[in-house]
Amino acid sequence: MTAEPDDSIAVVATVRDVRDLVRSRARSAVEVCRDALSRIAAVDPHLHAFNTVVADRALARAESIDRDPDRWRDAPLAGVPVALKDNLCTRDVRTTASSRMLESFVPPYDATVVSRLEAAGAVIVGKTNCDEFAMGSSNENSAFGPVHNPWALDRTPGGTSGGSATAVAARLTPVALGSDTGGSIRQPAAMCGVVGLKPTYGRVSRYGLIAHASSLDQIGPLGRTVHDVALTLGVLAGPDPADATSALEPVPDYTAALTGDVRGARIGVPRALVEQGVDAEVSRAVNLALDALKWRGATLVDVDLPHARYAIPVYYLVSTAEASSNLARYDGVRYGFRAGAGRGTANGTHGTAEAVPYEGAPYGAAPCDLKSMYAKTRARGFGPEVKRRIMLGTYVLSAGYYDAYYLKAQQVRTLILRDYEHAFTGTDPVDVIAMPTSPTAAFRIGERAADPLQMYLADVFTVSASLAGLPAISVPCGFTADRLPVGLQLTGRRFDEATLLRVADAYERDTGWSKQLPPILSR
Ligand code: GLN
């Protein structure tokens, strides 16, 4: 396989570079777009980061930007190619959540984040592969096949925004959006060697995000540099009348926060939590990163998060309960896949993915067929992990078990939140809390697929910030001996993304991790 020459725009350029080239007219948006598309065509067959590439639409959009330079002169993302996780609705562009259930679903509207990116000058090039309905930690739960990690093709990119992380790591686009319910932006960012930010719950509108677990879901950016992530967050953040859970909190200038100065910053380290179960090479890289921050003038402080060790059971009770309720809408009636009916539905999408004729009369002929149509639709439309979550979630919400499981989990969730609050505001307060993003580097495709519990353990360090609604970032902090990337996770106070970004950026300035190219680009 041969990649494009390494001086192409996508390899050398960050979001800021591309934007500046387009704004100054040193490059046209069309040239930049063609470059991204040709790279995707050359490299993505080996990676499978994309479910859908919208080449014509992207080029038409780039042309429109070139035709009207005045309009885009100050646009923060002028001409920047962006990849979107395939659970973000795009008008007239198939949005599948990597599920058979939505294989031919074409939304009639754009997610708010999509409209905001386009208003900022971005050029959407495609929709990225992910775990089905964003459930998983490896991208192996995609109904369309796994994504391959650009650093080692036999390994997973992490999940669930693995296609987005891979697109950025392989320089297919300088930035991508993901969603994070329990770690799905941060964990693939760590495993692919890119920066990924999960904003505070409510910071970014979720209108048009296909729901997984509504008290946890957030949309956020993945990029090669902290600056690019800060810039993109500024475009996405802010209230939205279409999402009642979006916060009114003012949006600061995140790039202005990147001063490079961390003198006096207090960084909490939950040593008891990270002592066990972390791969030695991951620990080593994270400890070296903490030393580097100390050297820059930050103070390391021991913190205790005593309830964080319950975060995995709590997360898998709360998230499955919410998922079982959110996924009830996929019944084959309103939209998406319908087993065997072979008829169009109201909004023009239909169940033709299934060619087998429905047994007995077509849908609508007899009331007794409806229940069996639901059952067949859901049995065939959902993959095994999604079914497991629906069953778990339905069980924990059921009358006899609600108090013992769901209610108890919500109570422990409050204790986890209080641990963080104590660390941020107690007697010895810290500004951010540092730990590994993932206990291991990228694992092999297939290695954990047969053991769901083993897979869930990959989330041990990411789910507590999700349960507490706090912002958290993963920034590359080195490699294992096998040249697999390692991520440092920083968690911050509610709506204090600026401090997270400042600390992560200061660290990044001391390292060259973001400039390293994965082997897929040099073969
Ligand atoms: N791995 C977690 C899960 O499977 C997180 C997923 C996510 O953040 N979307 O639920």
Side-chain angles (χ1 to χ4, degrees):
M1 178 221 102
T2 57
E4 292 292 293
D6 278 354
D7 61 350
S8 72
I9 304 165
V11 163
V12 294
T14 60
V15 169
R16 177 164 45 176
D17 297 336
V18 171
R19 184 273 309 268
D20 290 348
L21 287 168
V22 172
R23 280 193 195 172
S24 66
R25 312 207 76 192
R27 298 279 187 145
S28 68
V30 167
E31 277 176 286
V32 171
C33 182
R34 279 195 204 290
D35 182 75
L37 292 171
S38 67
R39 181 163 297 279
I40 292 169
V43 180
D44 200 46
H46 302 269
L47 299 173
H48 196 196
F50 282 86
N51 285 342
T52 306
V53 177
V54 288
D56 294 345
R57 189 181 191 268
L59 283 168
R61 159 91 180 149
E63 272 164 25
S64 83
I65 290 172
D66 288 338
R67 268 199 306 274
D68 197 356
D70 287 345
R71 176 162 172 210
W72 303 104
R73 199 179 310 283
D74 298 319
L77 299 177
V80 174
V82 179
L84 301 173
K85 187 174 182 177
D86 204 12
N87 61 355
L88 294 165
C89 284
T90 37
R91 193 172 60 181
D92 300 337
V93 175
R94 191 172 80 116
T95 299
T96 70
S98 289
S99 179
R100 294 271 169 233
M101 192 59 98
L102 294 177
E103 192 169 10
S104 45
F105 172 55
V106 179
Y109 68 100
D110 278 327
T112 296
V113 289
V114 175
S115 324
R116 289 196 178 168
L117 286 172
E118 291 196 326
V123 175
I124 285 145
V125 298
K127 309 293 295 285
T128 57
N129 200 351
C130 55
D131 286 291
E132 182 175 5
F133 285 105
M135 296 176 189
S137 307
S138 69
N139 243 287
E140 291 165 287
N141 297 335
S142 167
F144 310 131
V147 180
H148 298 264
N149 190 312
W151 292 92
L153 295 177
D154 60 339
R155 293 186 185 254
T156 84
T160 63
S161 312
S164 290
T166 295
V168 174
R171 283 24 176 192
L172 306 181
T173 59
V175 66
L177 296 196
S179 67
D180 189 312
T181 305
S184 280
I185 291 175
R186 293 161 281 160
Q187 191 236 38
M191 292 189 176
C192 292
V194 301
V195 183
L197 174 75
K198 180 199 90 76
T200 308
Y201 186 77
R203 177 72 299 180
V204 174
S205 165
R206 304 176 303 172
Y207 177 70
L209 168 68
I210 293 175
H212 168 179
S214 302
S215 76
L216 298 157
D217 296 341
Q218 263 297 286
I219 299 168
L222 296 101
R224 269 168 55 205
T225 65
V226 175
H227 182 278
D228 284 355
V229 163
L231 182 65
T232 310
L233 178 65
V235 168
L236 305 177
D240 174 13
D243 176 2
T245 64
S246 68
L248 298 174
E249 206 78 17
V251 180
D253 179 347
Y254 293 114
T255 55
L258 310 182
T259 58
D261 187 0
V262 288
R263 280 171 300 171
R266 295 170 58 79
I267 300 179
V269 186
R271 301 232 180 250
L273 181 66
V274 299
E275 244 156 35
Q276 280 166 14
V278 181
D279 185 87
E281 290 186 278
V282 170
S283 279
R284 191 170 159 273
V286 167
N287 286 331
L288 285 173
L290 293 175
D291 286 348
L293 282 163
K294 200 168 153 188
W295 181 83
R296 273 205 166 241
T299 308
L300 303 186
V301 183
D302 282 342
V303 293
D304 200 13
L305 301 175
H307 299 93
R309 64 198 175 97
Y310 303 114
I312 290 212
V314 169
Y315 171 83
Y316 278 94
L317 292 170
V318 171
S319 68
T320 56
E322 295 181 10
S324 72
S325 152
N326 273 326
L327 271 59
R329 72 190 71 176
Y330 302 104
D331 56 9
V333 174
R334 282 160 289 194
Y335 58 94
F337 173 73
R338 174 186 302 173
R343 290 257 178 107
T345 54
N347 71 359
T349 66
H350 46 78
T352 48
E354 169 74 70
V356 185
Y358 179 58
E359 287 153 29
Y363 163 62
C368 62
D369 285 335
L370 184 60
K371 218 169 155 188
S372 127
M373 189 280 287
Y374 286 159
K376 285 186 181 172
T377 294
R378 291 169 68 82
R380 293 177 196 171
F382 291 135
E385 180 62 25
V386 173
K387 287 180 189 161
R388 181 178 295 122
R389 308 266 180 131
I390 291 172
M391 286 190 282
L392 268 171
T394 305
Y395 181 78
V396 308
L397 287 176
S398 59
Y401 297 98
Y402 180 89
D403 288 359
Y405 293 115
Y406 186 70
L407 196 65
K408 188 61 86 189
Q410 291 290 25
Q411 287 165 340
V412 181
R413 180 179 190 173
T414 302
L415 297 177
I416 292 169
L417 172 63
R418 286 199 192 138
D419 285 351
Y420 275 106
E421 273 173 0
H422 181 74
F424 288 129
T425 60
T427 42
D428 198 10
V430 297
D431 300 303
V432 301
I433 294 176
M435 57 182 115
T437 307
S438 161
T440 65
F443 45 90
R444 287 201 166 74
I445 293 175
E447 194 177 310
R448 299 189 189 178
D451 184 351
L453 284 182
Q454 175 80 354
M455 192 68 91
Y456 298 170
L457 286 177
D459 306 334
V460 60
F461 298 130
T462 50
V463 289
S464 60
S466 303
L467 289 164
L470 302 173
I473 193 168
S474 180
V475 62
C477 72
F479 290 89
T480 65
D482 291 340
R483 292 282 300 157
L484 299 171
V486 178
L488 167 72
Q489 178 179 234
L490 303 170
T491 304
R493 297 191 179 94
R494 268 162 60 77
F495 296 107
D496 192 12
E497 283 82 0
T499 299
L500 283 186
L501 291 160
R502 175 167 60 93
V503 175
D505 166 72
Y507 168 68
E508 186 186 71
R509 291 180 191 209
D510 283 335
T511 75
W513 309 128
S514 72
K515 297 193 178 64
Q516 310 239 354
L517 285 178
I520 184 90
L521 295 182
S522 46
R523 289 181 357 161

